[in-house]
Amino acid sequence: MPMEYLVIGGVALVALLIMILLFKTVWRVAEPNEALIISGLGARGNSTDADSLGFRIVTGKGTSVLPGFQTARRLRLDSRAANLQVSCVTQQGIPVVVRGVVIYKVGDDLHSIANSARRFLDQQDSMNGAIHELFTGHLRSIIGNLTVEDLILNRERLTGETRASAADEMIRLGLIVDSLQIQEIEDGTGYITNLGKPHAASIAAAARIAEAQRDQEATQAEQIAAANKAAAWRDSQIKQAVYQAEIDEAQARSRQAGPLSEASARQEVVVQETRAAELEAALAEQRLQAQVRKPADARAYETVTVSRAERDARIAQAEAEARETELRAAAQASQVKQAAAAEAESVRLRGIATAEATKVTGFGEAESARARGLAAADASKAQGLAEADAARAKGLAAADAIRARAEALAENQEAVIAQQLAEKWPQIVEAGAKAFGNVDHMVVLNGAQGVEEMLAKALTLGGAGLGLARSLLNTVTPAATPDTPAPVKAVPATPASGAATPGGTGGTTPSERGAAPPEKPATFAP
């Protein structure tokens, strides 16, 4: 039993496989983009076909084909593209080359499929050549009736006329045109290029004009913008200056507020203080100090400064002693004057106080006036006595100073004369230099040495007075007094190499002039 089942199953399986193979061999299915053309024994046309077709067309479904008795062949229904290149002549006699493309396919209806099957079933690859030749002929005939301008400006007319003229042939071939496009038109003579040059030139000129106008407008706009910017900057600066002035004024007012308030406060304090009697005494004391002490201090400072400038130690010491005596006298005079002024002021104040007291107690205005007069007289008298004492002290101090100078002159007249000459040396040099003031042109033969000799001679002109003063001092011998010692006779100075001679210009040595020897003069170009 199991063996029989296996045999039966194997036989059934083989039968099934045989049936599948037979079905696959017999059954044909048409793809969506193709049509099955079945011809042979028993192949009948469709209900829409004429019986004279002698074959059957199947699209979009399957059908059985008897092997050995019938044949099934496939006709492609998808789109095809054929490139067109036509050399022709236009109505104007201008040769052109037109390039385009035509997209076509087999019609979807059974009549178109039957027409295409009869013509191209075994020659489907030759369909492009047939379409090329068909449209080439129609394009030549149509372009021959058109101008170049029509080809360029109205290509739709060209394609429409071409499709209309080829419609009958395409129907007989069972084909339909999906698209016809003229891609390029070439002109070997340059007609198309020259045709566009006037327009291109006008466009270029218009472009240049427009560009120039835009540049001009842009320049004007930039200038206007720059002017507006400058005006805005000017207005801004003016406003800033006005604001800054207001700020400065406010700041100045704020800064002045403190000092003004302080000044007002001080003024109020002064007003309050002036109401007291002590202010008169303080002001009088300050006035005395300003009139007496400060001038005395100034004279003392001047005396000390002059004394420090003295070069000779003994003369400086003598003048310092004389100045010290004078200062002591001035100080005593100042003290006397201050005491007298203070006494006078005290008497005046007492008189005023007495007058006020008398006025208060009933003595009357006359007694007060008499008291003030007496006080003023006493003050004037005290002030006169103080001034007399001060004058006497100053005279004594001047006499002491003269006596000290006389003693110094008797002891060392060379030093005194040298000092006086040194003090007047700038005036002497200026007077000697005036000799060259009226010289417009001077020629120096021996160069810098000659300039140095001329300057030395000019500077030593004033030194001749030293010898004359020395001679006068040697010849004059003052009489001795009990208070003044006899002067010491000065020893005549030995003339230096540069002394005055009858035949030359006199001169003194640097030590006799009381000044350092001159440095090496500057070199002048001869």
Side-chain angles (χ1 to χ4, degrees):
M1 291 295 295
M3 192 66 177
E4 292 177 357
Y5 290 147
L6 292 174
V7 172
I8 293 173
V11 172
L13 182 58
V14 171
L16 181 61
L17 291 175
I18 292 173
M19 290 179 63
I20 292 174
L21 293 174
L22 290 175
F23 180 78
K24 191 173 182 179
T25 303
V26 173
W27 193 257
R28 298 287 185 272
V29 178
E31 298 293 337
N33 62 341
E34 63 184 7
L36 291 177
I37 307 300
I38 301 172
S39 61
L41 181 63
R44 297 180 180 179
N46 299 69
S47 60
T48 57
D49 296 337
D51 294 336
S52 61
L53 286 177
F55 56 88
R56 183 160 47 102
I57 301 173
V58 177
T59 58
K61 59 183 180 179
T63 185
S64 60
V65 177
L66 297 178
F69 298 97
Q70 294 178 348
T71 300
R73 284 174 290 185
R74 299 177 184 273
L75 178 64
R76 290 173 52 194
L77 302 179
D78 53 359
S79 297
R80 304 169 188 264
N83 293 322
L84 302 178
Q85 183 173 353
V86 182
S87 298
C88 53
V89 179
T90 64
Q91 184 181 8
Q92 301 161 322
I94 299 173
V96 294
V97 176
V98 179
R99 292 187 179 86
V101 60
V102 56
I103 299 174
Y104 66 97
K105 66 183 293 296
V106 177
D108 295 329
D109 58 295
L110 296 180
H111 184 71
S112 297
I113 294 174
N115 291 338
S116 296
R118 287 194 183 99
R119 292 169 177 81
F120 304 110
L121 185 59
D122 292 332
Q123 300 176 358
Q124 295 186 41
D125 294 336
S126 63
M127 293 175 66
N128 288 340
I131 295 299
H132 181 272
E133 294 299 330
L134 174 64
F135 279 93
T136 298
H138 287 288
L139 282 174
R140 284 194 181 97
S141 61
I142 293 171
I143 291 173
N145 296 322
L146 298 175
T147 62
V148 177
E149 288 81 356
D150 294 334
L151 295 179
I152 296 172
L153 301 177
N154 198 359
R155 292 189 181 185
E156 293 294 333
R157 175 185 174 185
L158 176 62
T159 57
E161 291 181 359
T162 302
R163 294 178 67 172
S165 62
D168 295 339
E169 289 86 349
M170 294 295 289
I171 291 173
R172 285 195 295 269
L173 294 176
L175 302 176
I176 58 175
V177 177
D178 287 341
S179 176
L180 174 61
Q181 297 293 331
I182 303 300
Q183 297 176 338
E184 186 178 2
I185 299 174
E186 293 183 358
D187 174 23
T189 61
Y191 181 85
I192 297 176
T193 302
N194 295 328
L195 188 65
K197 283 183 179 181
H199 184 66
S202 63
I203 294 299
R208 292 178 61 186
I209 294 171
E211 184 178 3
Q213 292 177 352
R214 299 293 86 78
D215 291 341
Q216 182 179 1
E217 293 175 359
T219 304
Q220 293 177 355
E222 289 177 355
Q223 293 175 354
I224 294 173
N228 295 333
K229 183 178 179 181
W233 182 83
R234 179 199 60 193
D235 297 339
S236 175
Q237 293 296 319
I238 293 173
K239 291 181 179 180
Q240 290 180 4
V242 173
Y243 295 155
Q244 187 63 37
E246 294 178 356
I247 292 172
D248 294 341
E249 183 178 0
Q251 290 178 353
R253 290 179 180 176
S254 64
R255 286 194 300 267
Q256 293 174 359
L260 287 175
S261 61
E262 293 179 359
S264 300
R266 288 197 302 271
Q267 183 179 3
E268 184 65 25
V269 171
V270 171
V271 170
Q272 294 297 329
E273 289 180 352
T274 54
R275 295 176 184 178
E278 290 81 4
L279 182 60
E280 293 293 337
L283 292 176
E285 183 179 359
Q286 291 179 1
R287 190 178 298 110
L288 290 175
Q289 291 179 357
Q291 293 177 357
V292 177
R293 188 178 67 182
K294 290 184 178 179
D297 293 340
R299 288 192 296 272
Y301 177 78
E302 181 180 4
T303 303
V304 171
T305 304
V306 172
S307 64
R308 289 180 180 177
E310 299 294 338
R311 294 185 180 183
D312 194 345
R314 295 183 63 184
I315 299 299
Q317 183 176 3
E319 289 186 356
E321 292 176 356
R323 180 58 60 185
E324 184 178 0
T325 304
E326 183 179 355
L327 289 176
R328 284 199 299 270
Q332 293 175 0
S334 177
Q335 291 177 358
V336 172
K337 187 175 181 180
Q338 290 180 0
E343 183 65 25
E345 186 66 21
S346 177
V347 171
R348 187 176 67 83
L349 292 175
R350 285 197 300 271
I352 293 173
T354 303
E356 291 294 333
T358 303
K359 182 179 179 181
V360 173
T361 56
F363 281 101
E365 184 66 26
E367 187 64 24
S368 175
R370 185 177 67 82
R372 285 195 298 271
L374 291 175
D378 293 338
S380 299
K381 181 178 180 181
Q383 185 175 1
L385 292 175
E387 291 178 355
D389 293 337
R392 181 174 177 274
K394 289 182 179 179
L396 293 175
D400 293 337
I402 293 171
R403 186 181 297 109
R405 289 181 179 272
E407 291 175 358
L409 182 61
E411 292 177 0
N412 193 355
Q413 60 181 357
E414 293 290 336
V416 175
I417 296 174
Q419 179 190 3
Q420 297 297 326
L421 189 61
E423 292 177 355
K424 300 298 182 178
W425 188 252
Q427 290 81 355
I428 295 171
V429 174
E430 182 179 1
K434 288 182 178 179
F436 299 97
N438 298 322
V439 177
D440 294 334
H441 182 70
M442 180 174 62
V443 178
V444 181
L445 299 179
N446 53 350
Q449 184 178 1
V451 175
E452 181 178 359
E453 290 177 357
M454 283 191 296
L455 291 176
K457 289 179 180 180
L459 294 176
T460 54
L461 289 176
L466 180 60
L468 180 59
R470 187 183 297 112
S471 301
L472 292 175
L473 289 175
N474 290 334
T475 57
V476 178
T477 304
T481 61
D483 296 334
T484 305
V488 180
K489 186 176 182 180
V491 178
T494 303
S497 60
T501 59
T505 302
T508 59
T509 61
S511 61
E512 291 175 346
R513 292 193 300 267
E519 298 179 357
K520 184 178 180 180
T523 303
F524 296 91

